[in-house]
């Protein structure tokens, strides 16, 4: 039988997406069919179209069978009350908010109700949300579901002449202080960082000090605040410490003896552990002209940490190591992380080695894994390797140039060729480097240099990670993949609109490939807005996570990818090692028979640990920057506008990369509209415009070490961003007097 002819034309993808996006609540197939008058057998075609939209990531599931914009919040959500804003509106945020790009959560305004007592800061509510704008929601209380944390981290402040002290939260979201009577200070004094417990309920503005974490007078308190605020485990259980202290050298046994291979470790000058070593040589196989034989040796952590022993339980709780300028919170005790599992030069170390052969185009032809004993020939740094590559080797590197350095760079050049051919997204964003003096105070903050030697190690590690994933699939072993899904439709559309303001096009449709984004980066290369484009593309991408379900790695343009190269600092890598040991029959320390059943839950757990570590490291860097800038309050700086929001402008300083806020109320005595597509604030009366990417001159008004916040005031625009559609940018000099009125915004 011939299929029935479609009697009612189906709506286009764009029409359906617009309907879902504009709906204040999630909708389902029934609502879409009704809106477009689709009946009877015609619904089959609609069902297939909606299935394709879900598969492409253009829409997401809400509750039940509802569909929603991937960038939207669901209709029902648990939220936590932050507190009132300047106008008295009660603000809240999602309890669980882990965006891929680190963006701030949408604004949620809790609506008053007669049925429920007025909630206060810290209260958690099940609420029904109704969209009020692109990133703004009204929340109707369904019921109260509890409180947030019962204790709050803050800094003790003792105003002169006041009877009581006050604790100011280190969390910028908590916009209130807690009063503490002298008898409840628990020996805390002005400047101490403490845990405080509100008394008389979480809404109370009085409390008592539970314990002291540190003091802001000690520069090392910066990382302590980040550790405490993010609940990062610091102390190891005694059983784990005992097990680490009793560890001994691993025997050669059945391992391959590779102590004669001149492996080298290449890390930063400030590296604290060395868990990977590399070596390469031209492939001697005449059937592979121009090919290379590479080896990546990784510390055999699985030999020392067995499933469900004391060390393993401590490691899975931590998930990964956390790095701060003044300390490391390691995943495993120092006896392993800096001892038996650190590939120190000229010392025998047990490893798991990935041997790989690539052809002249950089394609992986074959690979094998085995346990081995190696002896690193040298502990090298990225800077020394780059100097050697540039023709200035030091005394240790000079005898290694022909047999070690040259082959490593030769193999790297071939791998780079393959990377460029498959079209990966190469975002090259600078990283800040904090240098401390002997007292722990900040000596300097600068942007870390990036060399080809960094990229060399990255390419070797990526190849080994791919080989590990392929091996586990062939051996039918559980695999903890590192997955990176394509960006969702809402973020792609927002990126497309932003790029259009720069005159850069992004191919139409939702099925974009990494090479499409790389094409955008090439167009932006050398332009004043190059770095801005890199950062915006980064924010548009999904967040990489750990999962036993393989969806590929979009950013690297790889079909399969698993982290294999850092088991001393990432639990996911330890799982991959154990799976390889089991699958290849490499001896003790493999996966238990039923381990795969728990991989989904374990993947979510270690992904959350990773997000926790990233949040702590970022917060510490913000506080270090605030401490560094504290004695420069009142100074003027060159900067660029790095973010535009309804409440103000974020600027980034040229010299240090410090980020801070210019509140909208300080920009002038008029109302500013938020031109979201144009990434600008536009004065309603004068047309004065502040755009993303504008180069400006600013003055530092405040540096808050406790919260890591920097506040600036605008002085003038130095150079306007690239010409864009919309209101023309006017040269603006900020007035000395600030507006008392709260400006309104308009979403477009």
């Amino acid at each position: 039988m011939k299929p029935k002819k479609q009697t009612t034309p189906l709506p286009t993808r764009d029409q359906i997406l617009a309907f879902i996006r504009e709906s204040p609540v999630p909708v389902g197939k029934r609502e879409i069919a009704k809106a477009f008058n689709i009946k009877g057998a015609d619904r089959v075609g609609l069902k297939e179209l909606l299935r394709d939209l879900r598969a492409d990531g253009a829409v997401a599931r809400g509750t039940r069978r509802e569909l929603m914009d991937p960038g939207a919040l669901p209709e029902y959500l648990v939220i936590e009350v932050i507190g009132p804003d300047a106008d008295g509106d009660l603000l809240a945020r999602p309890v669980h908010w882990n965006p891929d790009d680190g963006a701030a959560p949408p604004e949620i305004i809790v609506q008053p109700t007669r049925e429920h007592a007025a909630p206060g800061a810290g209260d958690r509510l099940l609420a029904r949300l109704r969209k009020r704008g692109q990133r703004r929601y009204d929340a109707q209380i369904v019921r109260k579901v509890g409180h947030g944390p019962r204790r709050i981290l803050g800094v003790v402040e003792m105003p002169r002449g006041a009877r009581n002290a006050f604790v100011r939260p280190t969390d910028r979201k908590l916009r209130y202080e807690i009063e503490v009577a002298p008898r409840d200070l628990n020996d805390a004094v002005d400047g101490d960082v403490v845990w405080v417990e509100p008394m008389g309920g979480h809404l109370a503005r009085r409390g008592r000090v539970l314990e002291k974490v540190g003091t802001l007078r000690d520069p090392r308190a910066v990382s302590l605040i980040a550790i405490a605020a993010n609940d990062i485990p610091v102390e190891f259980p005694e059983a784990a410490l005992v097990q680490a202290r009793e560890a001994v050298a691993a025997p050669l046994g059945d391992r391959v003896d590779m102590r004669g291979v001149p492996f080298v470790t290449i890390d930063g000058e400030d590296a604290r552990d060395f868990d990977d070593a590399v070596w390469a040589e031209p492939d001697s196989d005449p059937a592979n002209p121009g090919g290379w034989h590479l080896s990546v040796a990784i510390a055999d952590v699985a030999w020392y940490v067995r499933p469900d022993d004391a060390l393993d339980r401590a490691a899975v709780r931590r998930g990964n190591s956390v790095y701060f300028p003044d300390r490391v919170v390691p995943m495993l005790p120092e006896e392993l992380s800096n001892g038996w599992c650190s590939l120190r030069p000229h010392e025998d170390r047990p490893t798991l080695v990935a041997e790989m052969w690539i052809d002249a185009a950089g394609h992986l032809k074959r690979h094998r894994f085995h346990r081995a004993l190696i002896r690193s020939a040298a502990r090298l740094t990225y800077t020394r390797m780059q100097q050697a590559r540039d023709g200035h080797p030091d005394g240790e590197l000079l005898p290694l140039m022909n047999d070690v350095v040259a082959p490593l760079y030769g193999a790297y050049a071939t791998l780079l060729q393959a990377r460029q051919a498959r079209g990966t997204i190469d975002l090259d964003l600078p990283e800040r480097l904090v240098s401390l003096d002997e007292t722990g105070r900040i000596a300097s903050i600068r942007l870390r240099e990036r060399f080809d030697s960094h990229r060399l190690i990255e390419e070797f590690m990526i190849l080994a990670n791919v080989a590990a994933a392929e091996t586990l699939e062939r051996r039918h072993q559980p695999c903890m993949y590192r997955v990176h899904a394509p960006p969702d439709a809402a973020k792609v559309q927002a990126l497309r609109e932003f790029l259009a303001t720069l005159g850069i096009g992004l191919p139409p449709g939702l099925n974009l490939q990494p090479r499409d984004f790389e094409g955008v980066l090439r167009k932006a290369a050398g332009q004043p807005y190059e770095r801005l484009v890199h950062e915006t593309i980064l924010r548009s991408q999904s967040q990489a996570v750990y999962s036993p379900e393989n969806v590929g790695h979009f950013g690297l343009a790889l079909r399969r990818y698993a982290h294999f190269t850092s088991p001393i600092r990432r639990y996911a890598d330890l799982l991959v090692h154990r799976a390889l040991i089991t699958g290849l029959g490499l001896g003790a320390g493999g996966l238990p028979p039923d381990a795969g059943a728990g991989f989904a839950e374990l993947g979510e757990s270690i992904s959350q640990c990773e997000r926790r570590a990233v949040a702590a490291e970022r917060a510490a860097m913000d506080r270090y920057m605030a401490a560094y800038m504290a004695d420069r309050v009142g100074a003027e700086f060159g900067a660029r506008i790095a973010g535009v929001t309804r409440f103000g402008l974020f600027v980034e300083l040229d010299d240090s990369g410090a980020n801070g806020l210019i509140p909208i109320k300080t920009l002038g005595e008029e109302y500013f509209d938020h031109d979201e597509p144009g990434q600008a604030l536009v004065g309603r009366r004068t047309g004065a415009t502040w755009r993303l990417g504008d180069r400006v001159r600013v003055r530092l008004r405040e540096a808050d070490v406790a919260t890591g916040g920097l506040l600036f005031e605008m002085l003038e625009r130095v150079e306007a961003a690239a010409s864009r559609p919309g209101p023309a940018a006017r040269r603006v000099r900020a007035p000395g007097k600030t507006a008392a009125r709260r400006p309104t915004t308009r979403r477009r």
Side-chain angles (χ1 to χ4, degrees), residues 41 61 178 477 505 647 684:
R61 285 193 180 276
I178 298 173
Q477 288 295 308
F647 52 83
R684 188 175 296 180

Side-chain angles (χ1 to χ4, degrees), residues 178-181 184-185 196-200 204-209:
I178 298 173
E179 189 175 3
V180 181
D184 296 318
L185 278 170
V196 62
E197 178 185 41
M199 298 167 60
R205 292 297 176 267
R206 300 195 64 171
R208 57 174 170 264
V209 172

Side-chain angles (χ1 to χ4, degrees), residues 578-618:
R578 288 173 176 169
L580 288 168
I581 290 167
T582 297
L584 298 172
L586 298 179
L591 284 178
D594 58 347
F599 264 35
E601 182 178 352
L602 194 52
E604 293 178 4
S605 174
I606 56 180
S607 295
Q608 179 59 41
C609 288
E610 179 186 50
R611 289 190 289 269
R612 178 181 67 184
V614 169
E617 291 167 354
R618 286 177 178 170

